[in-house]
Amino acid sequence: MFKRFSRTALLALPLAFAWMGAQAQTARYCDGRIVANAFYSHVDSNGSRSTVPYFVQLQNQSGEAIRYTIRFTAPHIMQPQNGSTLATLASYQQAAVTLGRQSFNNPGGVGQLSQAELIRYTQVTCPR
């Protein structure tokens, strides 16, 4: 019986790890009232160099409008959000915000930030 349980448990491990890896990384800000639904980027290339703009899609999770600012602190970023622009999300509204851009000496954007790094370098605050 122990061998059968062990084999079953071992067979279930890959499924459990696959499920854990499939979980999206999310970020919550302002006491959970604002959620980052997605962090994303794309590569703009001219064949020898590339530029990668970074974005976040924010959503208001509350029943009232929320004022917020964004600060993006990743290194080597051009035109980063610096926390000086105050914006408002209406109740349950979503907004895509450009975090900044990065330039590379390769056409494929090799070296761009990962989703985990985008989350780590993004700060959203909600002044009252």
Side-chain angles (χ1 to χ4, degrees):
M1 181 165 142
F2 182 71
K3 283 184 178 181
R4 189 175 344 160
F5 176 75
S6 297
R7 224 178 294 146
T8 303
L10 288 175
L11 290 173
L13 278 175
L15 292 174
F17 286 121
W19 180 80
M20 287 171 39
Q23 296 296 308
Q25 292 181 331
T26 60
R28 296 184 174 277
Y29 306 100
C30 304
D31 300 322
R33 295 180 299 148
I34 293 180
V35 168
N37 286 334
F39 287 90
Y40 56 97
S41 64
H42 65 285
V43 177
D44 295 326
S45 178
N46 66 8
S48 61
R49 294 187 49 80
S50 59
T51 301
V52 178
Y54 298 107
F55 305 91
V56 62
Q57 181 181 9
L58 299 176
Q59 182 175 19
N60 180 344
Q61 296 287 298
S62 74
E64 57 189 46
I66 300 173
R67 297 178 337 137
Y68 70 95
T69 63
I70 297 177
R71 182 172 169 85
F72 189 58
T73 60
H76 311 295
I77 298 295
M78 298 179 297
Q79 302 170 329
Q81 288 289 333
N82 63 10
S84 64
T85 304
L86 187 64
T88 301
L89 279 173
S91 176
Y92 301 104
Q93 179 185 9
Q94 293 185 51
V97 179
T98 302
L99 296 170
R101 298 180 302 125
Q102 204 169 19
S103 190
F104 297 95
N105 290 325
N106 61 69
V110 175
Q112 67 181 301
L113 298 172
S114 68
Q115 184 175 13
E117 290 171 314
L118 292 175
I119 292 170
R120 181 175 68 223
Y121 291 124
T122 303
Q123 302 164 352
V124 177
T125 58
C126 297
R128 298 239 176 208

